[in-house]
Amino acid sequence: MHSAPSQTLPFSSDYFRQLAALGEKFQITDTQGKFISISEGINRAAALVYRQRKQQRKVIFIGNGGSASVASHQAVDYWRNGNIPAIAFNDSASLTCISNDFGYEQVFSKPISIFAQSGDILFAISSSGESANILAGVRQAIQMDCQVITLSAFQTNNPLRQLGHLNFYVPTMAYGFAEIMHLCICHCIIDGLVKGALPSSDEDNYLNLAQNEVS
């Protein structure tokens, strides 16, 4: 590890410059793999979340490690600030119980099978987009007719990015950058709703995702 003060400034300048660039470079695709602009993608996600508030449907967040922290953080923000029923399946007793009895791959799919209902939204967060338990959770949610929003990074062709109705992809191989951007995206959605900036008056235009089936 380099500790010389003279090396701190260029590193930090580079770090924040790259992070800022990612705020304009992340990509969004729909269930067909079609690219969507950042503003339209955020609007679509916000419209889905707004519908949950009106219909009292749930928003579910799942993630491992740093992404688990993002999931817990956002579940709290969505219900506290947005008045939207939101949950993250990160309780230690639940995780260890399911891991012990069924295997870690099912730590999210099992509770989703019990708690999720048709029309709920699942935010599936994974930097690699390859975590077996996240993919299993997504497939379970799709089976139960939930709307799925994925957040991934690393490889452009990661499997998680292919599964959601909306897929947010951050083009970075760095965990820190991926996690920060995923957190920012989730915050942007709920902050826009709370401030009344999203969705727009023609919100119904953004609610057509249910017409597209995920294969």
Side-chain angles (χ1 to χ4, degrees):
M1 172 183 281
H2 297 290
S3 58
S6 62
Q7 295 175 339
T8 303
L9 180 60
F11 172 81
S12 60
S13 298
D14 258 0
Y15 188 93
F16 289 107
R17 182 165 56 248
Q18 291 179 43
L19 183 59
L22 287 174
E24 299 179 353
K25 291 183 178 179
F26 68 88
Q27 301 169 354
I28 309 168
T29 51
D30 63 14
T31 186
Q32 306 297 329
K34 178 183 176 182
F35 284 93
I36 304 169
S37 70
I38 289 176
S39 59
E40 182 180 356
I42 294 292
N43 273 6
R44 288 192 186 187
L48 285 174
V49 172
Y50 181 67
R51 182 175 65 182
Q52 304 309 85
R53 182 165 61 183
K54 291 175 65 176
Q55 299 180 353
Q56 286 298 294
R57 296 292 188 184
K58 293 185 299 300
V59 178
I60 300 169
F61 294 86
I62 58 173
N64 295 298
S67 297
S69 296
V70 174
S72 292
H73 180 166
Q74 291 307 296
V76 171
D77 280 1
Y78 274 56
W79 74 253
R80 181 183 180 277
N81 299 331
N83 198 30
I84 298 163
I87 188 171
F89 297 124
N90 290 336
D91 177 75
S92 60
S94 175
L95 290 173
T96 53
C97 170
I98 298 171
S99 297
N100 185 64
D101 293 350
F102 302 101
Y104 194 66
E105 184 174 330
Q106 298 187 58
V107 293
F108 300 126
S109 59
K110 281 292 182 182
I112 287 171
S113 72
I114 299 298
F115 290 98
Q117 297 174 297
S118 175
D120 286 349
I121 295 176
L122 175 69
F123 278 78
I125 310 167
S126 170
S127 293
S128 70
E130 297 180 348
S131 300
N133 56 1
I134 299 294
L135 297 174
V138 167
R139 294 187 180 104
Q140 181 65 46
I142 292 171
Q143 183 178 327
M144 300 182 72
D145 197 29
C146 297
Q147 295 290 325
V148 175
I149 297 173
T150 74
L151 298 101
S152 65
F154 294 8
Q155 301 299 330
T156 58
N157 61 344
N158 74 73
L160 181 61
R161 192 185 182 191
Q162 319 303 317
L163 295 178
H165 296 90
L166 282 174
N167 304 283
F168 291 82
Y169 168 75
V170 182
T172 180
M173 293 296 293
Y175 273 106
F177 283 169
E179 291 163 0
I180 292 168
M181 285 306 306
H182 290 163
L183 184 64
C184 287
I185 291 166
C186 292
H187 261 302
C188 182
I189 294 166
I190 190 62
D191 289 350
L193 286 171
V194 170
K195 293 178 184 298
L198 294 172
S200 59
S201 57
D202 55 343
E203 71 178 54
D204 290 340
N205 291 337
Y206 302 120
L207 300 180
N208 296 325
L209 297 180
Q211 298 175 4
N212 300 320
E213 294 184 0
V214 176
S215 58

